[in-house]
Amino acid sequence: NAGVTQTPKFRILKIGQSMTLQCTQDMNHNYMYWYRQDPGMGLKLIYYSVGAGITDKGEVPNGYNVSRSTTEDFPLRLELAAPSQTSVYFCASSYNSWAGSTDTQYFGPGTRLTVL
Amino acid sequence: GESVGLHLPTLSVQEGDNSIINCAYSNSASDYFIWYKQESGKGPQFIIDIRSNMDKRQGQRVTVLLNKTVKHLSLQIAATQPGDSAVYFCAENTRRQLTFGSGTQLTVLP
């Protein structure tokens, strides 16, 4: 298994540009997550999904959108990039066996985004 | 030690010594805790987890202790090796979401 893969690894955007960060997992996990990590800080949850067709906001959703059309893919969309969105973005997935449970999250390698 | 929301503390240990990394959590309703290791330029990697009905759990060279009375979590690494140098995060489960602390930078000295 490749686990959780993310593309691209690095990206530089100009203010106002848009882009999609890709995330794919091959572990048949039902839950998927997007986090951002600012320098010297912990991870903050942007959005998560409990299954195909279902998404929900996390702690810091403003400026982002997500979709989950398949179990494997969970893309994160930035519509109007701002300097405050400069960060490292991590995608994660987990298999939650019952509603309310939380199982181990497995992380991708991250996408380093700079907005100038 | 570390508390959720504070900036990154650091810990330096001699190779071969034991390391103890601390974490204070705030939500008494949290029922699941995980320790992650993050090496430079990489995503967080699962180390060990513990549920709130336990107070200790051991893995390979690592032990997690949970004290719910004072809302404190610790990670003990035995015989610390150069490859253990990384940032270590604790995370607590609240409302089916994980809340991460800011992490502790562990440096292993030769």
Side-chain angles (χ1 to χ4, degrees), chain A residues 32-84:
Chain A
M32 295 187 74
Y33 313 82
W34 274 105
Y35 294 90
R36 60 176 286 172
Q37 185 178 33
D38 297 328
M41 302 296 285
L43 289 86
K44 293 190 175 181
L45 183 65
I46 306 171
Y47 271 96
Y48 68 102
S49 168
V50 302
I54 307 170
T55 63
D56 208 347
K57 296 178 180 179
E59 182 183 357
V60 290
N62 291 346
Y64 307 95
N65 278 301
V66 293
S67 60
R68 184 96 181 271
S69 57
T70 66
T71 300
E72 296 78 18
D73 300 304
F74 190 41
L76 177 71
R77 179 83 177 162
L78 283 72
E79 290 294 350
L80 291 171
S84 62

Side-chain angles (χ1 to χ4, degrees), chain B residues 38-90:
Chain B
Q38 187 176 25
E39 296 174 280
S40 180
K42 297 184 178 180
Q45 177 185 5
F46 170 84
I47 302 174
I48 191 167
D49 59 0
I50 188 168
R51 299 202 180 267
S52 59
N53 61 351
M54 305 170 68
D55 54 19
K56 180 179 179 179
R57 190 166 188 210
Q58 287 184 293
Q60 189 174 12
R61 280 201 309 119
V62 294
T63 301
V64 55
L65 299 178
L66 175 62
N67 185 331
K68 294 181 288 294
T69 303
V70 296
K71 291 187 284 189
H72 182 268
L73 195 67
S74 69
L75 176 71
Q76 300 178 2
I77 304 174
T80 312
Q81 301 170 357
D84 295 327
S85 290
V87 176
Y88 290 81
F89 294 95
C90 67

Side-chain angles (χ1 to χ4, degrees), chain A residues 31 37 102-105, chain B residues 36 38 46 51 93 96-97:
Chain A
Y31 280 49
Q37 185 178 33
T102 297
D103 288 310
T104 305
Q105 294 184 21
Chain B
Y36 284 93
Q38 187 176 25
F46 170 84
R51 299 202 180 267
N93 172 47
R96 289 195 297 169
Q97 296 181 15

Side-chain angles (χ1 to χ4, degrees), chain B residues 1-44:
Chain B
E2 137 185 24
S3 283
V4 173
L6 295 184
H7 288 273
L8 195 65
T10 59
L11 174 66
S12 297
V13 298
Q14 292 293 137
E15 182 178 353
D17 286 352
N18 296 336
S19 303
I20 299 176
I21 301 171
N22 296 305
C23 176
Y25 65 94
S26 57
N27 192 335
S28 56
S30 296
D31 59 0
Y32 178 62
F33 304 87
I34 308 177
W35 280 100
Y36 284 93
K37 172 186 180 183
Q38 187 176 25
E39 296 174 280
S40 180
K42 297 184 178 180

